[in-house]
Amino acid sequence: MHRAGRVASLWQRRSRLYPRSRDRDLLRPSVMTCRVLIGPGKRAAYVREAAGASQDLHAACQLTSMKLSLSKVVSGCRLGTLTNLGKNGVQTMELPGCLLYTKTGSPPHLTHDTLQAIKGVPAVVQLTLSTLVELHEVLEEYKEGIGKFIGMPESVLYCSLHDPGSPCPSGYNNNKTVSIWGYGGRMEMTGSKFMSMQRALQPDWIQCLSDGDTISGETSRKRAKKSVDRSLSFLDECLQLQEKSPELQGSVMVGVIEGGDMLEERLRSARETAKRPVGGFLLDGFQGQAMAKETKLKLMASVTAELPEDKPRLIHGIGKPDEVLECIERGVDVFESFYPYQVTERGCALSFSYDYNPDPEAAVIKQNGIQDAGKNGTEKDINETSKADPEITSFEIFLKEKRYRDDFGPLVHGCTCYCCQNHSRAYVHHLLVTNELLAGVLLMMHNFQHYFSFFHSIRDALRDDRLDPLKELISRQAL
């Protein structure tokens, strides 16, 4: 074996022996190692070549690595900007913010043209691995990544494991695999198979493979510990495979914080994940109603306190406006936007007010277009709507109800979306009851823009020190 080959062999052997080193640069062959294994005549050239390559790699990383700049932190709420996003490093994202939810790489019900008609569309697009798993072989053959394949080559793409709009069955993960539920059923995902898919997708952000099957509310301490151990093991394996993948050198690995409802395991997961070279953190396992609200909020606050301030914190499964504000107060930066999609699928339109400047009660009445909404009438409407669909929240209106048949006002008074500027509640009601596809298009356009504007209002409230009035306004509208 050539002497240079011995260096590579030694590096590979040390990587296998010490896969979880806090500083992986310490495992690389040092100059002293090179002096021992390489003859004196070639030593200087090797050192110069290695140093040059190291500088080039460092320069490339500096150019493309995303940067979080916080302009304000108030009572745990973080106002800031993510810059240097995407492979070209020119995209930015304001925080707190949300992702653009997609299914199979496309915003539900929308084309690219209709998407462009929506104001405030987030810079980061959420792709879900579970809806793309069947495209693996196609994308491997395509070789140019999912961004160009779906017609979004300039977008910043974040690949998450599961579709937040489709709950996953529990009890199928083990020490070596995590189950992904796609359109064709269950698929067991190992670390190597997961990274093979990421090489085909070539996303900008990657949610690392993790064992998040701890949201049933009946997780034992032993199971919570196992979820943390497995997730850390997957993280180390994925980071090593990413280093060897030229296609993923510009991608950011997002470490996942697991541990169920066990504070000790959550803190261990946060501390150990923070030691790894990840670009951000995902707080997983807080979706659904299995965990008590007080426990959930306490765990969030404890976990974010352990994380570095210069990296973004994401969360999955939180979408209702009141829950979003509670998470922001506990240091969470980035949310999903599956909630507007769920509202659309129910035949509803988001109608809650987020204008915290005027009188809150007057704003709610104006936003919903109800001039004489007495207490008894309001309760009656809520009860009737709940009977129609128990999932419907107080932040939306159910447009299939007969009372909208002759309501010729916009979905929300003052809304600037395409639907509200051009159509009425009566027209959308007609489209819904006749099962016209256009109903989903118009509702999705409205609900997305309304939700994105809500996050814009949150940032303005933080900037103006007016978060408390916004919280009060939202809480008055929550059931």
Side-chain angles (χ1 to χ4, degrees), residues 244-266:
K244 302 173 184 177
S245 305
E247 307 92 335
L248 300 177
Q249 292 308 301
S251 300
V252 172
M253 189 70 70
V254 177
V256 186
I257 311 300
E258 300 289 0
D261 56 2
M262 302 295 172
L263 178 59
E264 180 182 349
E265 292 303 322
R266 283 281 178 182

Side-chain angles (χ1 to χ4, degrees), residues 283-414:
L283 279 64
D284 193 27
F286 292 105
Q287 55 267 46
Q289 305 298 324
M291 190 183 300
K293 181 178 178 179
E294 294 75 14
T295 303
K296 186 183 298 187
L297 297 179
K298 180 181 178 182
L299 287 173
M300 283 183 199
S302 300
V303 167
T304 54
E306 296 292 330
L307 300 177
E309 293 187 354
D310 61 344
K311 295 180 181 179
R313 297 92 173 261
L314 296 78
I315 195 165
H316 284 178
I318 303 295
K320 290 174 57 180
D322 54 334
E323 295 177 350
V324 166
L325 289 174
E326 290 170 345
C327 294
I328 288 174
E329 286 186 299
R330 283 149 185 87
V332 178
D333 302 314
V334 182
F335 299 79
E336 298 168 308
S337 61
F338 69 96
Y339 178 64
Y341 166 69
Q342 292 179 328
V343 172
T344 299
E345 292 300 285
R346 292 193 283 262
C348 295
L350 288 175
S351 59
F352 67 94
S353 173
Y354 46 77
D355 185 358
Y356 55 87
N357 285 316
D359 176 69
E361 186 173 352
V364 173
I365 293 174
K366 179 182 177 182
Q367 200 78 1
N368 286 278
I370 302 170
Q371 300 302 324
D372 298 311
K375 180 178 179 182
N376 295 331
T378 302
E379 289 180 352
K380 181 180 178 182
D381 291 339
I382 291 172
N383 291 334
E384 290 179 354
T385 301
S386 298
K387 290 178 182 178
D389 188 339
E391 296 295 324
I392 295 177
T393 67
S394 58
F395 300 107
E396 57 201 273
I397 54 175
F398 185 49
L399 288 167
K400 288 184 179 181
E401 291 182 346
K402 290 183 179 179
R403 61 191 173 119
Y404 296 113
R405 183 171 52 187
D406 55 357
D407 187 338
F408 301 106
L411 303 187
V412 172
H413 288 273

